[in-house]
Amino acid sequence: MSTMTYLQAITDGLRTEMRQDERVFVLGEDVGAFGGAFKATAGLYDEFGADRVQDTPIAESAIIGASVGAALAGLRPVAEMQFSDFVACGFDQLVNVAGKMHYRTGLAVPMVLRLPTGGGFAGGPFHSQNPEAWFMHAPGLKVVAPSTPADAKGLLMSALRDPNPVCFLEHKNLYRRQKGEVPEGTHLEPFEARVVRAGEELTIVAYGAMVHAALAAADTFEPGRVEVLDLRSLVPLDEEAILASVRRTSKVLIVDEANETCAAGAQVAALVADRAFSDLDGPVRRIATPDVPIPFSPTLEASVLPTPDRIAEAARELLAY
Amino acid sequence: MSTMTYLQAITDGLRTEMRQDERVFVLGEDVGAFGGAFKATAGLYDEFGADRVQDTPIAESAIIGASVGAALAGLRPVAEMQFSDFVACGFDQLVNVAGKMHYRTGLAVPMVLRLPTGGGFAGGPFHSQNPEAWFMHAPGLKVVAPSTPADAKGLLMSALRDPNPVCFLEHKNLYRRQKGEVPEGTHLEPFEARVVRAGEELTIVAYGAMVHAALAAADTFEPGRVEVLDLRSLVPLDEEAILASVRRTSKVLIVDEANETCAAGAQVAALVADRAFSDLDGPVRRIATPDVPIPFSPTLEASVLPTPDRIAEAARELLAY
Amino acid sequence: MATLTRAESPTPAAGPRPKAGAPDAAAPDAEAAASDPALTPDDRLALYRFLVQMRAIEERGVALYKQGKVPGSFYDGRGQEAISVGATFALGPDDVVCSPLIRDLGAHLVRGTDVTEILRHYMGRQNALSHGREGNVHFGDRARGVVGMVSMLPDMMVVAVGLAMAFRMRGERRVALSFFGDGATSRGDWHEAMNWAGVRKEPVVFVCENNGLAYSTPSDRQFVVGPAERAAGYGVASTTVDGNDVEAVHAAVHAARLRALAGDGPTLVEARTMRMHGHGAHDDQRYVDPELLASWTPKDPLTRYDARLTEQGVDTAAVRERVAAELEQAVTVALTAPLPDPAVATSDVFCAGEPATLGRGDAPWSFHSPEAAA
Amino acid sequence: MATLTRAESPTPAAGPRPKAGAPDAAAPDAEAAASDPALTPDDRLALYRFLVQMRAIEERGVALYKQGKVPGSFYDGRGQEAISVGATFALGPDDVVCSPLIRDLGAHLVRGTDVTEILRHYMGRQNALSHGREGNVHFGDRARGVVGMVSMLPDMMVVAVGLAMAFRMRGERRVALSFFGDGATSRGDWHEAMNWAGVRKEPVVFVCENNGLAYSTPSDRQFVVGPAERAAGYGVASTTVDGNDVEAVHAAVHAARLRALAGDGPTLVEARTMRMHGHGAHDDQRYVDPELLASWTPKDPLTRYDARLTEQGVDTAAVRERVAAELEQAVTVALTAPLPDPAVATSDVFCAGEPATLGRGDAPWSFHSPEAAA
Ligand SMILES: Cc1ncc(C[n+]2csc(CCOP(=O)(O)OP(=O)(O)O)c2C)c(N)n1
Ligand SMILES: Cc1ncc(C[n+]2csc(CCOP(=O)(O)OP(=O)(O)O)c2C)c(N)n1
Ligand SMILES: [Mg+2]
Ligand SMILES: [Mg+2]
């Protein structure tokens, strides 16, 4: 174990697997000697060279499409979008080529698409998005979203060994703010949810940065009342873990940093409302970012992103329901 | 009134508005003299000429982006995707440029993007998709989906007059199969839901082609039991109409031709589970296409798309709950 | 520890492969000699047979479509057969075709994909290529190094660049071959593929089927400067050939392949041709000037090659008869195939085990497979 | 009945517009004469002032950013000021800039956008340009015919093509001007924009800011053939100029504009330059060879133009002082601006009423506005 930031854990996961598996290589804009816009690939170029740590042209479609080709040829590409927002420029290669390949042809596409996501640092409408629901609605893509340094490494290393295209959502706001113990060497985490705070009266379902907001909100209640479930994986979605928790607590609050409509949280809500209905003692509540582009000005941004206060308030209401 | 197919109603809506508003023009692949892959623009080239009915290169991003530019200049472009599936190739211009323009700059983008959607005719994984949830999850886009010839014209003409980008989902399977009375001349329908079959015991929420499947299912019950609500518009979503119906009937079945996860139906389910919870007498049920690419072979396709039988079965279960 | 396989051949495909040649890594001399790509009589016969076979299957396919035996839609490459056949014939067994498009059935035939499977696939029956999940020419044959196309044009060019990149990184003597139409050059992915291939010098061969039409839209509404000329803007070599001359296409792709193997980077081969049928079986292409079509009839790639081979003393009628007989047999078998089990509609969205690798395709050309030509 | 406005000017922007010129539709002779784009002393002074202003604002912006007064990130165009200033200065008032990018503050200044508003916008305060919804150089000024950029490069080139298309369809004498960087040429949208503009001969001018770098990635990893040469592959005219010479940029864009107005289609003006700062204020660009940077220092567009004007007897120090004083005043005012009302975070996602049209920008160049020059 050693203490690392979320960002360092990502680099460590990449480095560890690149040392063990020569098929793994990294590509993206400025990921080479520069180490990437967020320094997630810092040091890799020096260790592994230009072929395994490739600077690409500004061409998101080609970054994704060429990764598909390399994966078909037996390599294990790890492609970086400089910001997850730019994935819209390569969307077609992702949803139509990568996502459908195995079902249509039997060929597998073992690739990882690293996507720095999320807001909270005045990034504005094009550097703050949370695009995961788009991927969830595209069959054939796995989607994971770690909230801690250990999970960042563990889910990344599992993604690198998965024979499918995996969208790996790394929240920019966790990069340097989250520090924690991370196992050394190979560390694999399953694509499953985890209870990060046990409680009896209400389940808060969250993932990514919102796990920390949910924990902060849970901390405002007596211990043991509010359970926080960290989804960690969105596809596959750990339905049994969600249902088990909600059936036990009988109340649920679903938190999502993404825009509200058709978000991951909507899917979780629909699941609960269908399959845990008879165990529910209150409405299925959601907190998400309203359907607006993420505004730049810190006061505006803070007014739309879910905060611990807003989560705690909704939790209070639900507990009292 | 005259009797038209759904497809003819679309052409009629375009023609009517193009005669009245010189700013309206049509662009897309093969939409000119050829009249488009589905003949939705048949005859328009002869009447309005090459400038107002433009064949474009195969360049979905440019079709959408150039439409944004023309709209900023005060025109009213109507862009056609040859199949809605190809919108993934122009996704970035749609979600990042068109959708966010007004919020960011105050400039409006009055354009209509016509998207022939849906399966049921052995179109396979790339000619059968229902992409509306992606748009719903992108702030700034309106999304409408008519189910009848009259609505096809009425919602299209309203879209043509809307100062925002409107994704107009026209279901290919309705093009020639749906015939009905369509008002002549200007015909405007609001972006609101409509009860198409009144009932007391269960609400089936649907849109597009699924409205007809829902009606067929409703017909298997005594009249007055099952209500069918045709959403017609997904953004804005007529939340009050949904809630009013469900509160009255106390049970809801949501039908969606799109892939299940994070679909429009998930959003409707989440809405109901939150805001009509105390009126519900049964779980919020959904029927949608499982999370698979739409298979080609008719037997396979029929096994994944929602059918009247499957809807009726779920309705029966819910009524008995 | 999993390692990068350098200069090794990929896992050979399972099953009997009557005409699979030696990996060309083992035959550098044959290749060098082949820079004058003299075709043997057997090669010519093979080329002719593939042309005839493609035409016959597609004619039968249209008929089956009109009889309702082929669901959905049907696309063919009438008049363009020489391109996919000639180009694919120039490949070695380890090369990858990514991807044949809707006018490129010949590529599948050259690589050795089973005709009965193709027919079953067209018909949406149980089949080993797509399991009924895909239709029309949207199939590949993993085991023969063929990646099936997607509809979005020209996405697979980008994927081919990625394959070529992997070959280069591993030091393998393999190329990726990708087809595209003139119309597809307007899309951004064409540019991204060309640029990436050019800047990285990837071992990829792009074959442009320039038939002057994108569905109903003629070239002058698509571009001002033709694809081959544009290649220069990417540092990509280019050459233009008569797309209705199967040997010309073959020679150009052969040279392009050697260039790629030599580390000199990508080539765009523009094959000029004419689409003699509508875009698909539903399209009567009345928008095409009948005189233009008539002017291309004498250039039919089959008729021309037939005349050439007949002159060389080949009994072409015998070839045609054999192909026809084999095809009827295959159709009969295919028509008895059951429909797919509905369970396959929802399985295999994700890969569960080890990824299957791309196998080796047939490479009947004697220069690549001297033993097969013997 | 709503009608297509043919050859009419768009609605003039509200408010006093001190330097707005006559619509050039009314001044065809002036334009013809301007094919020799002799600049008057007033023009030169204006050009110099805009260069100085851009540099001053950005230097102040970096300082404010480092003081925490500018949230998020900050990008500047140090060393590249001559491009946005020179290019935009060649436009008529009805032309549209779509869009200035992160190195193009000068375009906004030339069009007349208020500096205090720009500062407020940078700081995320209440402001008329973006209401705090946007940050850094992501703003436009609707009323001055400037469409704000999006981050996705080079999306706005495509939008500019659409604007130009509308101008052509309505028979208006207007062009659209779009900027792009060398790195952005790798993206598919660059190709789609170039191809569309070329095939349709749209009245659009593309200005390439070729600084040899895309963030940390040098051109040789982006493309093999430079942007201007590539233009030929689209039937797009091109010209390469010294991007650090404001008059050279101006002359090239002026000629390109006339070409577009004459119906001869698009032009790509490649302006060669060097990015003298890091990609953004966070970037020390240690990946750039210091000698390379040093070799560009003497080519600084301000120093050079300063020397030229000084030689012509202009009191450049007076200009700099005036600009500095005005800027300090604007900063003081901007710093007192309140933060935006949180309500604007969720309003205006959709347009409710009639769309606002693009207004007219300042066009200080005397050839376009003889009366203003008088
Ligand atoms: C991205 C995309 N847009 C639209 C289509 C619909 N479409 C199918 S084939 C075709 C024309 C293709 O023309 P070309 O590339 O010249 O190939 P050809 O059919 O002439 O062989 C079009 C527009 C598509 N397949 N992909
Ligand atoms: C589609 C897209 N991908 C990635 C980025 C991130 N990014 C911002 S600026 C930049 C470099 C741009 O280089 P260039 O176009 O040469 O402009 P310059 O900064 O040199 O003026 C990159 C990669 C982006 N803005 N858009
Ligand atoms: Mg063609
Ligand atoms: Mg640059």
Side-chain angles (χ1 to χ4, degrees), chain A residues 19-23 25 27 51-52 54-76 89 92-93 96-97 99-110 139-142 162-165 235-236, chain C residues 1-4 6 98 129-130 133-134 138-140 142 146-150 152 154-156 158-163 165-170 174 187 189 192-193 195-196 199-200 344-358:
Chain A
R19 284 181 183 164
Q20 297 184 88
D21 185 347
E22 252 194 302
R23 299 171 305 174
F25 74 104
L27 73 172
D51 244 15
R52 291 186 65 201
Q54 304 184 12
D55 281 335
T56 67
I58 304 178
E60 282 74 10
S61 192
I63 292 170
I64 297 172
S67 296
V68 173
L72 292 177
L75 297 180
R76 299 264 167 164
C89 302
D92 169 49
Q93 287 282 352
N96 283 321
V97 183
K100 296 175 180 169
M101 184 67 77
H102 187 256
Y103 181 81
R104 297 172 56 248
T105 71
L107 285 162
V109 182
L141 303 174
K142 293 196 176 177
D162 198 288
N164 296 285
V235 178
Chain C
M1 164 173 157
T3 54
L4 195 70
R6 280 194 200 281
C98 175
L129 300 170
S130 69
R133 293 177 185 140
E134 264 289 13
H138 293 188
F139 64 90
R142 188 194 67 60
V146 181
V147 181
M149 64 177 281
V150 302
M152 290 67 194
D155 283 12
M156 299 309 288
V158 183
V159 179
V161 170
L163 280 158
M165 178 170 82
F167 300 159
R168 179 181 50 74
M169 284 165 66
R170 287 192 300 225
R174 298 165 81 181
R187 260 209 64 226
D189 279 33
E192 296 196 11
N195 187 52
W196 189 299
V199 87
R200 304 280 193 94
V344 311
T346 49
S347 60
D348 295 326
V349 174
F350 292 104
C351 175
E354 263 305 292
T357 53
L358 284 161

Side-chain angles (χ1 to χ4, degrees), chain D residues 181-183 209 211-214:
Chain D
D182 45 279
E209 299 169 271
N211 58 15
L213 278 175

Side-chain angles (χ1 to χ4, degrees), chain B residues 22-23 48 51-52 75, chain D residues 1 3-10 25 165-174:
Chain B
E22 251 192 303
R23 299 172 305 176
F48 301 105
D51 244 15
R52 291 186 64 203
L75 296 180
Chain D
M1 166 176 155
T3 53
L4 194 70
T5 336
R6 282 192 199 284
E8 274 176 32
S9 325
M165 178 170 82
F167 301 159
R168 181 182 48 74
M169 284 166 67
R170 289 191 300 222
E172 295 171 351
R173 289 182 59 75
R174 299 164 82 180

Side-chain angles (χ1 to χ4, degrees), chain C residues 313-330:
Chain C
V314 177
D315 180 1
T316 60
V319 175
R320 291 196 299 278
E321 275 156 36
R322 199 164 339 115
V323 165
E326 282 167 16
L327 176 59
E328 278 324 297
Q329 171 63 14

